[in-house]
Amino acid sequence: MQFPESWLREFCNPPLSTAQLAETLTMAGLEVEELKQVAPPFTKIVVGEITQALQHPNADRLRICQVDVGQGDLLNIVCGAPNARVGIRVPCALVGAQLPPGDDGKPFLIKVGKLRGVESQGMLCSARELKLSDDHGGLLELASNAPLGQDVREYLQLDDTLFTLKLTPNLAHCLSVYGVAREVSALTGTALNAPVFPQVTVSDSTKLSVTISAPELCGRFSGRVVRNINPKAATPQWMVDRLARCGQRSVTALVDISNYVMFELGRPSHIFDLDKIHGALDVRWGKSGESLKLLNGNTVTVDEKVGVIADDIQVESLAGIMGGDATAVSDDTRNIFVEAAFWWPQAVAGRSRRYNFSTDAGHRFERGVDPGHTVEHIERITQLILEICGTDGAAVCGPVDDIDIGHPKRLPVTLRVSRASKIIGMPLTQAQCVDALQRLGLAVEQGDGTLTVTPPSYRFDLHLEEDLIEEVIRMIGYNQLPATPPSAPITARLAPESTRGAYAVRRTLAALGYQETINFSFVNERSERDFAGNDAPIKLLNPIASHMSVMRSSLLGSLIEVLKFNLDRKASRVNVFEVGRVFLRDPLAVNSDTTVAGFSQPLRVAGLAYGSRDPLQWGAPEKPVDFFDVKGDLEALLAPHSAVFEAAEHPAMHPGRCARVSVGGNPIGFLGELHPRWRQTCELALAPVLFELDFDAVNSKQVPVFSSVSKIQPVERDIAVVVQETVTHAALMATITSSDTGGLLKSATLFDVYRPSAVAPGASIRPDEKSLAVRLVFASDSSSLTDELVDPAVQSVLTNLQVKLDARLRA
């Protein structure tokens, strides 16, 4: 909302500068979005009157004007404006005057000069040259009674500031200059000049019959007939200026009066041409198929959800939004009907947006307009009509017809002082709360530690105790709130060098072909039982949905839901992961800035792979992802740590295709195919492979330690041993690395597995055995290795294999 500061100060003039006033409003919740001067700076421009205008002898479009600026001597000024004529008063820039800066940003200085041989002692100005508007059709004509010689800035009140407020929807009572002044009075303690609405003389008994057929649309309808008005009367310049400074252009006197009262008092109204109304008016909901041509030229079709004002023949107005063209006032209007009503906000909200436009009236009515002063505002409108459009006393007014069938009943709201202190965060006394509320003009009844307020008719935002608490702190001042430091530590927590960070973990998984998902921490209780084996999940007191009633203790259920969501949309290949917290009962957990007593919230990383291992391509056949594909992904994720995979069981995974993942002897999670039971329940064509790991273990990394490159060549030995078919690769590697080689063994790599297709009689490998070939690498940093040093080390490895795995050297 935009308005001039001078208009505001007519209602309330606190001893504050413009900047201080803007700060006061902003800190009270009425954000001042912009402060703008009405006119740019210029000097020595006064009111002048053209007393003579002769044609320039050397130019067809120039005139030589004699201008009286109240200094005794007339000024000779050459002017090219088409409306330069004798008798008009215009802004005159004297010699030495500075006009507003041009496009180059520099002020324009007026000097004595010659135009086509004739001396010019100043300049007559247009509105565009003074940067007052974009009108450059001619000189800016002033009123005929403008004082000669008076500074134009003073005469036009250009030393004014435009306030632009950005109001929240609950501040409907501030959508007028008087409403803002009421707030300023409460904030500063300055007296409020309340408007007075004297009743005009009623000299005509005519009333227009009005029926309210939809009480849920309109709660109060006031109207008055005014006859014998002059619609061609000119709008006073002071009103034109104020409307312009509110962002509203002048239309006609009657329309301007209606708009002026809306900006002044927050009351949208409408003026009908009485002679164009057919019979009586009916306030009702629209009927399907009815149409109306609006004042903006648009023709709209209404239905049963749009409120209208109709006469006996047709719809004449959109209720609370815009009038119709059929009953609009014109230059031929003689008799009018002035309407001011209360429209229920819910009956107006959103209606104008259905037709892709918005109006100032609709903006106010859908937020709430005071239903208690329709009659007074009718009196104000009538007063202005008689002053501006009265025809030498011929205009006559009928009585105000006020139909009040029920407007909002304000229910008392009780504020507890102790509650206000707790919510605001500072100690308050009952006297402070009483003072704050009474300054706002609210009637307060005091109790023992409580205050009861019955909101006035113009306050649509006071329903709850918290609404009154907000009013209290607005009046006391947000700047009075104590600066209380947060209870949580605010020192930066530097990540140790032994961690790589969540971003690096996510990047690694993304590089392996997985896409990140983010899921709710709330899951179905059945999902917890099936995929986490959790029969006692942490239940929510107030779940957002019935299928999100417990806190998850595993990320796997969330990933299964993501898989089903994508499969329902015909995705054939799904590789996803999530980094998120799970929630477990933990009696040892205590309260801190990051923990809650009785519950632990560890961070985990989980993933799921489904469908083909690689995207469709020509270079390799399509192959479904399997356990070992994802095992390789985990080894890449955990590198340079060496992960150990050993058979285990998990509620969500296949009993024979599940492994526990360990690093450094510590279990960190599980890897495996989805359990056949859950695969069947979810109706999955293939078995997805899942993993879930402790994030801290994945996040850790080895701090690099310097070691010199050995200058001595290593020695390689290959061995092939026969072991039982049940011996795993992990068991083989663990046995080899635990052998006593004197620190010479640096690495061991399996490079061949042999299983005979058919066992011949006397063969060295039985059907339940296999041959594993391993390359051993030996090195020493101190001396070259000889067979005398390497052979005992190899023998130690073979002996250890024989003892622990019943292995034998292949012949």
Side-chain angles (χ1 to χ4, degrees), residues 478-510:
Y478 291 108
N479 55 343
Q480 300 298 321
L481 290 172
T484 305
S487 57
I490 58 175
T491 55
R493 292 186 174 182
L494 300 178
E497 192 179 358
S498 59
T499 61
R500 50 181 172 171
Y503 178 78
V505 173
R506 290 183 170 97
R507 292 282 293 179
T508 302
L509 283 167

Side-chain angles (χ1 to χ4, degrees), residues 123 289 366 393 472 507 695:
M123 174 180 173
E366 67 183 10
V472 169
R507 292 282 293 179
F695 181 80

Side-chain angles (χ1 to χ4, degrees), residues 316-521:
E316 300 293 1
S317 175
L318 281 184
I321 299 173
M322 184 180 288
D325 181 70
T327 54
V329 295
S330 65
D331 288 348
D332 299 325
T333 298
R334 295 294 296 166
N335 307 310
I336 59 174
F337 178 72
V338 183
E339 166 263 314
F342 167 71
W343 307 101
W344 289 95
Q346 60 269 28
V348 178
R351 269 50 175 196
S352 62
R353 287 185 287 276
R354 292 179 56 180
Y355 303 113
N356 297 320
F357 67 86
S358 62
T359 63
D360 287 328
H363 180 78
R364 286 164 170 78
F365 278 123
E366 67 183 10
R367 286 160 173 76
V369 174
D370 182 8
H373 293 86
T374 56
V375 173
E376 290 83 349
H377 295 167
I378 287 278
E379 295 289 356
R380 173 61 170 160
I381 295 171
T382 307
Q383 175 194 359
L384 292 172
I385 291 175
L386 295 180
E387 290 178 1
I388 298 171
C389 301
T391 53
D392 299 327
V396 293
C397 299
V400 175
D401 186 14
D402 183 29
I403 306 172
D404 188 354
I405 64 172
H407 48 267
K409 303 300 180 184
R410 302 302 185 200
L411 299 178
V413 182
T414 300
L415 177 145
R416 293 164 291 174
V417 177
S418 59
R419 174 71 172 166
S421 297
K422 182 178 180 180
I423 294 295
I424 293 174
M426 62 182 288
L428 292 174
T429 65
Q430 185 160 327
Q432 285 178 294
C433 296
V434 171
D435 176 66
L437 297 174
Q438 288 181 341
R439 281 158 51 191
L440 284 164
L442 305 178
V444 181
E445 294 182 12
Q446 300 190 47
D448 186 11
T450 63
L451 305 176
T452 301
V453 173
T454 300
S457 59
Y458 58 85
R459 293 301 298 264
F460 283 77
D461 58 324
L462 301 181
H463 303 286
L464 307 173
E465 181 180 18
E466 286 73 12
D467 297 330
L468 295 181
I469 293 174
E470 180 185 6
E471 296 304 294
V472 169
I473 187 57
R474 285 202 312 119
M475 292 299 105
I476 292 176
Y478 291 108
N479 55 343
Q480 300 298 321
L481 290 172
T484 305
S487 57
I490 58 175
T491 55
R493 292 186 174 182
L494 300 178
E497 192 179 358
S498 59
T499 61
R500 50 181 172 171
Y503 178 78
V505 173
R506 290 183 170 97
R507 292 282 293 179
T508 302
L509 283 167
L512 291 169
Y514 292 82
Q515 292 181 311
E516 184 176 12
T517 66
I518 300 175
N519 300 294
F520 279 107
S521 297

Side-chain angles (χ1 to χ4, degrees), residues 679-693:
R679 174 185 168 185
Q680 183 178 7
T681 301
C682 298
E683 299 180 352
L684 302 178
L686 301 172
V689 182
L690 311 98
F691 67 86
E692 184 172 22
L693 307 176

Side-chain angles (χ1 to χ4, degrees), residues 87-149:
I88 64 170
R89 299 194 176 189
V90 296
C92 177
L94 305 177
V95 174
Q98 281 192 346
L99 267 63
D103 295 336
D104 58 358
K106 297 180 180 179
F108 185 73
L109 184 64
I110 300 300
K111 302 177 182 178
V112 175
K114 286 189 177 182
L115 293 176
R116 296 290 181 94
V118 177
E119 183 178 77
S120 181
Q121 300 169 331
M123 174 180 173
L124 303 182
C125 304
S126 68
R128 185 177 186 181
E129 289 162 339
L130 298 181
K131 305 291 186 184
L132 300 181
S133 74
D134 292 331
D135 181 18
H136 58 285
L139 301 176
L140 173 61
E141 297 189 28
L142 306 177
S144 60
N145 60 352
L148 293 177

Side-chain angles (χ1 to χ4, degrees), residues 19 28 115 169 193 228 235 321 361 374 431 443 455 525 546 618 645 804:
L115 293 176
N193 298 323
N228 302 326
T235 304
I321 299 173
T374 56
E525 189 171 357
S546 59
W618 62 269
F645 300 84
K804 294 184 177 180

Side-chain angles (χ1 to χ4, degrees), residues 783-797:
S783 61
S784 299
L785 296 181
T786 62
D787 291 343
E788 289 77 10
L789 294 174
V790 175
D791 289 344
V794 174
Q795 188 58 45
S796 174
V797 172

